[in-house]
Amino acid sequence: MTDLATNPAAAREIDRSQMQVSDEVAIEISGMNKWYGSFHVLRDIDLTVYRGERIVICGPSGSGKSTLIRCINRLEEHQAGRIVVDGTELSSDLKNIDKIRSEVGMCFQHFNLFPHLTILENCTLAPIWVRKTPKREAEEVAMHFLEKVKIPEQAHKYPGQLSGGQQQRVAIARSLCMKPRIMLFDEPTSALDPEMIKEVLDTMIELAEEGMTMLCVTHEMGFARQVANRVIFMDQGQIVEQNEPEEFFKNPKSDRTKLFLSQILGH
Amino acid sequence: MSDTHSQTVSYVRETMLPQAEPPVSNRGAILWLRENLFSGWFNIVLTLVSLYVIYWALAHTLPWVVSGIWNAGSLSECREIRDATLGEGASAACWAVLVDRWQQLMFGFYPSELYWRPVLALVIFLAAIAPVLFAQVPRGALWFTAVSPFVMFWLLWGGSAWFPVAVALGFVLGWAAWRALAPMAGTLVAAIVSAALPIVYWFYTAGPLARELEQVVGIGIEYVPSQDFGGFMLSFIIGIAAIILSLPLGILLALGRQSDLFIINKVSVGFIEIIRGVPLIVWLFTASLLLNYFLPPGTNFDLMLRVIIMVTLFAAAYIAEVVRGGLAALPKGQYEGADSLGLSYWQSMRLIILPQALKISIPGIVNTFIGLFKDTTLVVFIGLFDPIGLSNAIRATTEWNGIYWELFVFIGLLFFICCFSMSRYSLYLEKKLQRGHK
C-alpha cells in the first residue's frame, strides 16, 4: 500500500472529466452520537457529503470509522442526532431503512457474498426481490456489471471457488446491480493478499471516474491521494481533521494526524 | 571463503518440477491391508481377536436365521417341524409367525378388504415427496404434493370426500385473505387475519359445510375409525405427519428465539424449554387423558390426531434448537450482506439465512427425525397398537404364545431400513449442497 502512496506515478492516469462535485447534498449527518452500552463510540459527528464526492475516512483501529459508515445504512443504530440520506431521514421506520439500503450500496471487508448462490444469483437476488425486476432483465444488468469488474466468465461459479480479489469485485458488482446513488466501502482491501489489492482498487477508481458518490474506510493512502477529494481523519469517535488530500498529506495540522501518518507511511 | 558463501546463498531455479506419482510402496490393496490391519504386533493381535469375535457372533446367529421354519400354524407346530427335520433342540427361528401375521404387523386391525387404501396412500406419499427430496423431479409436481395430504387423509380414514375438501378450503381462505390484505393493511394485520380466519372457519363452518355438501352430492367411501389403525401403518402415519409438521414449526420457533421482539422471544424460549424438559411419555399421557379436560365438553377429538399434535410439538422443540445452532454458526456478515441490499426480514431469512443454516443443521435435523420415528413406538403405552403393541397382542394368542425374537427382529429390521434410508438421504443432501471450498 505504501508503494502507491509514496510513488503515485506508478499508478495509471486518472480521468477526472466526470468527477464533479455538485451542490446537491447526498448525506447530511448532524450532531450524531452513538454508544455501545456505555462506551461512547461516535461523538458529535457533523458531516455533509455532496453528490459526486469521493471521501476517504482513515484513522487508527477503534476510532469509529467503520461504525460511522455503517450508521449511514443503519447496520448500526445511532442514538442521538440526525442522518439524512438522499432526503430520507433514518428513523426506526422499517420502510425508510429498506428504501435507504436499496439505494446505498455497501462493500465489506470480508465481501459477505452468499456462498450458497452462484455469482450471477448473488448479483440478481436483490434486484429481483427488492426492485421486482424481471429475472431476464436482472441477469442482463448483472452480466453488464460483471463485465465491468472484468469477471463475466465466473458468473456460474460459486463464491467459494473465486480468489479474494475476485470475490470483492463481485461484491462491488452486486451492489452496483441495485443502481445505488451512494457507495460505502468498509475496508474493502484489508482482507486481501497484496497481489489482489490492485485489481479491487482499479475497480473502485473506475467507479470514481464515473462520478459515483463514495465513502471509503481504507488505509490505501495512494488511493486517497489519487481519487479522493476529501480525506477525513478520525480518532476516538470524533472527526479530528479533514482536508483535500494534497494538503492532508503534505501539511497535517493536528499532532494526532501527524503521528498516524508517520506510522502508516513511515515504514 | 566469501566465494563459496555467495554460491550457497544465491540460487535460481531454471525449470519448475512436474507433479510426480507416489512411490509403489504407497499404493494398492496390499499396502492398505498392511497399513490398516497388520501394521504392528499389537494391531495384528487386535485384528485376529476381532475376526474371532465376528466369527463367534455369526456362528451363533446365522444357523438360527438360515434354518428358520417358514410354514407352520403355531409355535408348537414350528417346534415339531424343527425337531423332526433338524433334530431335538436345534437352533432355528420360527419365521412362520411373520407369514401368518404380517398383515396385522403392517396394518393392525384395518379391514383386510380395504388394505389397498393405505397401500395406495403410501404410493401417493412417495410420489408426493419425490419433488421435495430430489431436484431432478419437475417443479410442477409440487402442486400434486400440496394436494396429496388431503387425498391421503381421505384414503386412510375414508368417509365423506367433502370433509378433506372443506378442510383444504380453510387453507385457500387463509391464502386469499393474505393476498387481499397484505398490499393494503400491512404484513402484520394480514398475517394475523390470514391465520385467525381459517381457524375460526375450521371450528365453526367446516364441519356443517361438509355435511351440507355431502347431503347434496354424496361422495363417500367406507369410514375406518382410528381404533382400527395399527402396526407399521400407524408408526408411519404418526412419524411422517410429525416429521413434516415439526420442521416448519421448529424453524419458526428457532427464528422466534432469535427475535428482538420481547414477547415472541419469551414465548418461543418458554415453549422450547417446557416441551423439551418433560419426557415424551408424559406428553403422550397428557394427550390421551388430560387433554379432554381442557377441550370444550362434547368435542370428540380423535386420539391419533392428539398424539400426532403432541409428537409434532415435541419434535419441533428439538428441531428449533438444532436450527438455532445452524443460525448461530452463520457469520454475522451474511445477515449484514442481506440487510445492506435492502432485503426485508422474511426475504433475507428465506433466501439467504435459512438455506445456509438448514444446510448446516441437516445432520442434527435428520438425527431428530430418526429419534422421533423410533419414539412412535411409545404410543403403545396409551393403548395404540404400534408394532410393539401388536407383537404383544400376537403373543397373547394361543398359537404364538411365547414367541419373542422373531417378531422383534422383524420390527427392528423394518425400523432400521427406514432410519438408515433417512440417514443415507441426509448424506446425499449434504454432498449435493456442497458449494466449492470455503
Side-chain angles (χ1 to χ4, degrees):
Chain A
M1 80 184 177
T2 46
D3 187 42
L4 276 177
T6 49
N7 185 12
R12 72 179 171 83
E13 206 58 46
I14 305 284
D15 172 15
R16 296 185 177 271
S17 59
Q18 303 287 313
M19 288 189 184
Q20 277 152 10
V21 177
S22 76
D23 294 339
E24 192 191 339
V25 174
I27 302 169
E28 180 149 34
I29 301 172
S30 50
M32 195 257 279
N33 279 278
K34 174 170 176 59
W35 289 263
Y36 283 129
S38 59
F39 178 59
H40 201 173
V41 261
L42 291 177
R43 309 178 193 178
D44 276 335
I45 303 286
D46 289 300
L47 177 68
T48 306
V49 180
Y50 294 94
R51 187 152 317 286
E53 279 204 281
R54 288 94 41 208
I55 297 179
V56 163
I57 304 170
C58 58
S61 70
S63 58
K65 51 196 191 310
S66 282
T67 312
L68 171 60
I69 68 164
R70 287 158 61 85
C71 279
I72 293 172
N73 68 351
R74 232 327 137 114
L75 288 183
E76 306 282 356
E77 200 175 327
H78 61 282
Q79 279 94 30
R82 280 161 53 88
I83 302 178
V84 181
V85 181
D86 259 345
T88 312
E89 180 170 358
L90 271 175
S91 58
S92 50
D93 187 345
L94 285 172
K95 282 221 173 79
N96 280 356
I97 295 174
D98 282 343
K99 180 171 177 285
I100 287 172
R101 281 174 177 170
S102 64
E103 277 165 25
V104 177
M106 180 148 192
C107 292
F108 300 86
Q109 181 178 4
H110 296 289
F111 333 131
N112 297 354
L113 295 177
F114 307 131
H116 62 302
L117 300 176
T118 63
I119 300 306
L120 189 62
E121 286 165 343
N122 263 281
C123 294
T124 57
L125 185 96
I128 289 175
W129 290 95
V130 179
R131 291 248 193 273
K132 313 287 178 209
T133 315
K135 188 166 179 246
R136 176 76 62 80
E137 196 185 319
E139 282 178 353
E140 276 167 21
V141 172
M143 285 314 292
H144 166 76
F145 284 112
L146 286 175
E147 266 158 40
K148 199 169 142 66
V149 299
K150 303 189 181 67
I151 31 178
E153 72 282 358
Q154 313 281 9
H156 296 288
K157 286 192 183 165
Y158 288 96
Q161 298 165 307
L162 269 56
S163 73
Q166 289 173 323
Q167 290 193 47
Q168 191 61 289
R169 284 184 283 152
V170 171
I172 294 174
R174 179 176 75 176
S175 298
L176 293 179
C177 285
M178 288 293 279
K179 309 263 171 70
R181 307 189 69 189
I182 299 163
M183 284 287 292
L184 308 174
F185 291 88
D186 187 2
E187 307 207 25
T189 55
S190 304
L192 297 177
D193 290 338
E195 294 180 84
M196 295 164 185
I197 290 178
K198 187 173 175 298
E199 63 190 52
V200 171
L201 286 182
D202 281 346
T203 309
M204 290 168 66
I205 290 170
E206 256 174 62
L207 212 55
E209 285 173 337
E210 286 164 18
M212 177 66 81
T213 311
M214 295 164 71
L215 267 84
C216 315
V217 171
T218 182
H219 292 142
E220 298 299 331
M221 290 305 134
F223 174 78
R225 218 177 268 243
Q226 278 189 294
V227 179
N229 68 314
R230 193 153 35 131
V231 179
I232 293 177
F233 174 70
M234 285 184 72
D235 192 23
Q236 292 173 16
Q238 298 149 74
I239 294 178
V240 174
E241 185 165 348
Q242 53 174 315
N243 212 333
E244 292 181 348
E246 192 79 4
E247 273 299 295
F248 180 84
F249 289 112
K250 215 182 276 169
N251 297 315
K253 303 279 186 308
S254 91
D255 293 340
R256 255 330 263 120
T257 317
K258 283 178 198 161
L259 180 66
F260 176 74
L261 286 177
S262 72
Q263 273 164 348
I264 66 163
L265 299 175
H267 63 89
Chain B
M1 184 68 191
S2 65
D3 279 345
T4 51
H5 186 71
S6 79
Q7 227 169 21
T8 51
V9 169
S10 162
Y11 169 73
V12 178
R13 179 175 283 290
E14 303 275 317
T15 51
M16 300 303 272
L17 294 177
Q19 187 157 294
E21 288 255 307
V24 184
S25 62
N26 269 337
R27 289 181 269 174
I30 303 207
L31 174 93
W32 183 88
L33 276 180
R34 189 143 41 87
E35 255 183 9
N36 292 292
L37 297 177
F38 305 106
S39 62
W41 65 268
F42 182 65
N43 285 348
I44 291 173
V45 170
L46 273 187
T47 302
L48 293 177
V49 169
S50 310
L51 283 176
Y52 178 73
V53 168
I54 292 170
Y55 164 78
W56 182 85
L58 287 180
H60 279 75
T61 51
L62 266 190
W64 181 78
V65 173
V66 173
S67 59
I69 289 136
W70 289 90
N71 290 312
S74 68
L75 185 57
S76 48
E77 203 187 320
C78 240
R79 291 199 174 130
E80 279 165 26
I81 298 174
R82 181 194 65 188
D83 291 348
T85 54
L86 300 168
E88 194 87 10
S91 166
C94 183
W95 299 122
V97 66
L98 302 180
V99 178
D100 193 35
R101 297 299 183 100
W102 69 269
Q103 291 165 318
Q104 216 177 4
L105 282 171
M106 286 297 171
F107 301 103
F109 302 104
Y110 206 86
S112 57
E113 70 277 10
L114 300 179
Y115 280 167
W116 62 272
R117 273 163 46 177
V119 172
L120 182 60
L122 181 67
V123 172
I124 289 178
F125 168 73
L126 293 177
I129 202 79
V132 181
L133 296 185
F134 302 102
Q136 295 92 321
V137 181
R139 298 293 86 193
L142 284 171
W143 277 107
F144 176 70
T145 309
V147 178
S148 64
F150 304 102
V151 180
M152 287 190 282
F153 174 84
W154 185 55
L155 278 173
L156 288 169
W157 274 273
S160 166
W162 291 111
F163 183 64
V165 171
V167 172
L169 269 179
F171 288 102
V172 177
L173 205 63
W175 179 79
W178 170 261
R179 289 307 292 259
L181 284 175
M184 46 186 226
T187 22
L188 186 67
V189 178
I192 292 171
V193 172
S194 58
L197 200 62
I199 293 174
V200 173
Y201 161 81
W202 282 323
F203 263 96
Y204 295 105
T205 323
L209 178 71
R211 275 190 287 278
E212 286 297 318
L213 286 166
E214 178 65 20
Q215 260 158 20
V216 180
V217 194
I219 317 170
I221 51 177
E222 193 181 329
Y223 173 68
V224 181
S226 292
Q227 288 92 307
D228 290 352
F229 285 45
F232 274 100
M233 189 178 98
L234 183 81
S235 294
F236 274 134
I237 295 173
I238 297 175
I240 289 169
I243 282 174
I244 290 173
L245 295 173
S246 66
L247 184 60
L249 185 61
I251 291 171
L252 286 180
L253 281 170
L255 293 179
R257 198 171 183 163
Q258 283 219 323
S259 169
D260 296 331
L261 304 170
F262 182 78
I263 293 182
I264 290 183
N265 180 300
K266 291 300 169 242
V267 167
S268 306
V269 173
F271 179 93
I272 292 169
E273 296 301 345
I274 290 171
I275 293 277
R276 208 169 44 142
V278 177
L280 177 59
I281 191 76
V282 174
W283 290 122
L284 289 177
F285 278 122
T286 311
S288 77
L289 304 169
L290 287 173
L291 222 53
N292 274 346
Y293 293 107
F294 298 114
L295 291 169
T299 34
N300 179 22
F301 213 48
D302 193 84
L303 176 61
M304 224 170 114
L305 198 57
R306 279 181 273 162
V307 167
I308 290 177
I309 291 173
M310 269 307 173
V311 176
T312 301
L313 297 182
F314 192 76
Y318 279 86
I319 297 285
E321 287 299 276
V322 172
V323 173
R324 188 167 71 100
L327 290 171
L330 279 194
K332 203 163 152 253
Q334 290 295 309
Y335 294 85
E336 290 178 352
D339 283 348
S340 74
L341 289 169
L343 293 169
S344 71
Y345 174 80
W346 288 108
Q347 283 174 341
S348 65
M349 285 301 137
R350 191 159 67 82
L351 301 166
I352 309 298
I353 305 302
L354 283 177
Q356 297 182 66
L358 289 180
K359 189 193 133 195
I360 301 172
S361 320
I362 287 171
I365 290 175
V366 173
N367 191 28
T368 309
F369 283 167
I370 288 176
L372 177 156
F373 186 55
K374 291 183 298 175
D375 281 350
T376 57
T377 51
L378 283 176
V379 298
V380 66
F381 292 111
I382 54 168
L384 292 181
F385 282 101
D386 83 307
I388 303 285
L390 278 166
S391 81
N392 292 337
I394 291 170
R395 238 188 333 273
T397 60
T398 43
E399 295 96 344
W400 301 110
N401 195 359
I403 196 154
Y404 284 92
W405 282 100
E406 292 80 353
L407 290 170
F408 287 143
V409 166
F410 177 69
I411 293 166
L413 187 69
L414 266 184
F415 270 106
F416 175 78
I417 290 171
C418 295
C419 296
F420 189 65
S421 329
M422 282 195 253
S423 142
R424 287 284 113 178
Y425 176 74
S426 103
L427 284 182
Y428 156 82
L429 200 60
E430 276 176 65
K431 211 174 260 172
K432 197 186 83 172
L433 295 177
Q434 202 78 42
R435 295 281 185 262
H437 3 257
K438 275 238 211 142

